[in-house]
Amino acid sequence: MSTLESKLEAIVGTAHLLTDPDVLVGWATDWTGRDRGAARAVVRPGDADQIAEVLNVCRASGAPVTIHGGGTSLVSGTVPRRGDVLLSTSRLTEVGAVDPTHKCVRVGAGTKLQTLRSLAAEHGLLFGVDLSARDSATIGGMVATNAGGLHTIRYGRTSEQMRGLEAVLPDGSIIKRFPRVPDDRSGLDLASLFVGSEGVLGVVTAVEVALRPRPRHRVTALAGFAALEDLVAAAVCLRDVPGVDALELLDGEGVRLASDRLGLACPVKAEWLLLAELASDREQLVELAELLAAAEVVEEPAISQDSVGRAKLWQVRESFAEVTKLFGPPTKFDLSLNFESVAPFAADAAALLAEQAPDAIPVLFGHIGVGNLHLNVLRCPDPSRVFGPMLDLIAEHGGNISSEHGLGSLKRDYLSLARSPEEIAAMRSVKRAFDPDGYLNSAVLFPTASE
């Protein structure tokens, strides 16, 4: 065992230092299974003090470090590129007591999203962010990418749930920013710098999040549309309705695949489907039905306000997580568009794929209420033929190439499609201020050309 590994073992203990090559392969492979890097070791510290020691040892040894949360990154955000030490937050799972007065709770960065959501439910509250990867995604990773998800239209992103955090900086120092009062404008908002930073500024170790009152009534509907333009028009109308909680676009092709390959029973058949949910302290079933009746739907929408019926409608949306895996790892695009650009982009994307990957199957879905969408290209044997051109197409339509997943290492060289040279230079300056040695999460976010 080398000197570095011996020092790491002394910090965390033998059980929490992994060096077996066969084990490291799994840790160094991305969520889709398509991208694989090489890790020198995996270290699993138990608290912020141990993380500070680990970082100091690695920095002194010149060993690059990549932070590993739930491993759910879809842009290779945790794939080590230089034989990195993978720093896992899996042991940072301490959960504090829920504060019923201020409606908040402090949790470790390694806490799973579903754990937090279940805890909130036990107190009659909810956490405003929900993702399909709720059983694996960690709170620290959600802060790093500023995750949005299924209820962004109502509660906003992770940044809007965060009240404070603890983080270990690249030099080993620890900052704790948990304001004791709701409004504190005493200087720079350091905590907000870590939101969406993809781990390049430090290791988030604990987060205090706001919890929300749980609405007493929910009603969910699934409506079909012949044209994407009609669905978008309906979503634009619904997004301003009081109590709107979710508006999800579903590609009819994805629903057909779920029906044919997964045995899913979908009550609505159409080229495009809209899953809409309203939630408040009053019943809104009639209101939602009337709103959809005024839209250009192709048949009677399926509507339910009981938990069993609503779960069946949500199952259509949840099935897309499995649909995207039917033909092996998909080529994923995570984008944000203005409403008027959604239909034209979908048409141009289909044309691009017909030319460059004629056997591919595009599946478009996502959070149409805020314009954040996911295009998954299935059965695409050579992603390189479509990846760059598709990102260019997103930019041509005035969209952003990363709405929720971040850039990771997969899209870092396309940052100029989203940010100006001046913005990139400013972000690099912030990175250098926090991490002058450039050893922490060095493979993500920033383009390689200027390194």
Side-chain angles (χ1 to χ4, degrees):
M1 185 177 291
S2 72
T3 302
L4 174 61
E5 276 79 4
S6 297
K7 291 180 179 178
L8 294 176
E9 183 181 54
I11 296 169
V12 301
T14 303
H16 300 297
L17 178 68
L18 310 178
T19 57
D20 185 312
D22 292 334
V23 173
L24 295 181
V25 168
W27 282 85
T29 302
D30 86 318
W31 180 254
T32 69
R34 173 173 277 162
D35 192 7
R36 180 177 296 174
R40 175 173 179 170
V42 174
V43 61
R44 300 184 294 190
D47 55 32
D49 290 331
Q50 286 191 357
I51 290 176
E53 291 185 67
V54 166
L55 292 185
N56 283 331
V57 166
C58 289
R59 180 165 54 88
S61 301
V65 174
T66 291
I67 307 166
H68 194 286
T72 60
S73 173
L74 297 173
V75 288
S76 298
T78 59
V79 177
R81 300 298 182 190
R82 299 188 293 164
D84 303 28
V85 171
L86 284 180
L87 191 159
S88 169
T89 61
S90 60
R91 294 176 63 203
L92 306 180
T93 56
E94 183 177 354
V95 175
V98 171
D99 182 338
T101 302
H102 297 98
K103 295 182 177 59
C104 63
V105 65
R106 192 176 302 181
V107 300
T111 303
K112 299 288 194 297
L113 172 58
Q114 185 56 48
T115 300
L116 176 55
R117 288 181 60 82
S118 297
L119 174 67
E122 291 172 5
H123 291 78
L125 302 168
L126 62 79
F127 180 62
V129 179
D130 191 19
L131 315 170
S132 295
R134 61 184 70 87
D135 292 325
S136 302
T138 63
I139 302 305
M142 292 169 62
V143 170
T145 59
N146 197 12
L150 299 167
H151 304 289
T152 305
I153 190 171
R154 180 163 188 166
Y155 299 109
R157 295 175 169 275
T158 300
S159 57
E160 292 168 81
Q161 327 302 320
M162 194 179 76
R163 293 169 54 101
L165 60 70
E166 176 187 74
V168 183
L169 302 185
D171 66 359
S173 59
I174 301 173
I175 62 169
K176 297 181 181 181
R177 182 62 182 153
F178 297 111
R180 292 174 291 178
V181 294
D183 290 315
D184 186 342
R185 300 294 180 263
S186 54
L188 297 177
D189 187 359
L190 292 177
S192 68
L193 282 176
F194 290 87
V195 182
S197 68
E198 301 193 42
V200 303
L201 302 182
V203 184
V204 174
T205 54
V207 185
E208 186 172 280
V209 299
L211 303 177
R212 315 286 181 167
R214 182 174 292 274
R216 289 186 297 170
H217 299 283
R218 288 183 181 273
V219 56
T220 308
L222 189 64
F225 297 81
L228 183 52
E229 294 89 340
D230 294 335
L231 184 150
V232 173
V236 170
C237 177
L238 287 166
R239 69 192 299 267
D240 293 325
V241 175
V244 63
D245 205 76
L247 290 172
E248 293 291 301
L249 162 69
L250 302 173
D251 190 327
E253 180 61 29
V255 175
R256 285 189 287 274
L257 286 171
S259 176
D260 296 342
R261 302 294 188 98
L262 304 177
L264 175 76
C266 181
V268 178
K269 292 180 173 59
E271 290 302 309
W272 301 96
L273 294 92
L274 176 66
L275 180 74
E277 182 164 285
L278 304 182
S280 71
D281 288 334
R282 63 182 178 87
E283 292 187 359
Q284 293 181 283
L285 186 146
V286 174
E287 181 179 0
L288 182 55
E290 290 177 346
L291 288 167
L292 291 174
E296 297 293 331
V297 297
V298 295
E299 59 180 71
E300 190 73 17
I303 304 180
S304 181
Q305 61 181 351
D306 68 85
S307 59
V308 175
R310 289 177 41 253
K312 289 181 179 179
L313 297 181
W314 270 103
Q315 189 177 16
V316 179
R317 170 63 176 88
E318 297 286 351
S319 71
F320 274 55
E322 295 302 318
V323 165
T324 58
K325 303 175 185 176
L326 287 173
F327 301 92
T331 302
K332 289 180 171 287
F333 298 94
D334 162 51
L335 59 140
S336 181
L337 292 167
N338 291 320
F339 295 117
E340 64 271 16
S341 301
V342 173
F345 166 77
D348 288 348
L352 187 157
L353 293 172
E355 178 182 347
Q356 298 296 330
D359 294 328
I361 303 173
V363 175
L364 182 67
F365 63 99
H367 323 308
I368 187 63
V370 290
N372 294 346
L373 303 176
H374 307 297
L375 173 62
N376 280 242
V377 182
L378 317 185
R379 207 167 60 192
C380 183
D382 185 5
S384 65
R385 290 182 58 85
V386 302
F387 194 76
M390 189 66 74
L391 294 179
D392 288 336
L393 182 63
I394 293 168
E396 289 170 14
H397 280 274
N400 197 299
I401 62 171
S402 176
S403 67
E404 295 189 310
H405 298 163
L407 296 176
S409 61
L410 199 61
K411 291 190 285 188
R412 58 187 263 178
D413 287 332
Y414 298 91
L415 179 57
S416 61
L417 293 176
R419 297 298 186 97
S420 69
E422 293 78 11
E423 288 179 292
I424 296 173
M427 289 192 290
R428 283 188 179 278
S429 295
V430 175
K431 165 66 171 174
R432 285 194 295 270
F434 277 78
D435 181 17
D437 297 302
Y439 79 99
L440 184 62
N441 272 34
S442 59
V444 305
L445 187 57
F446 295 112
T448 56
S450 300
E451 290 186 347

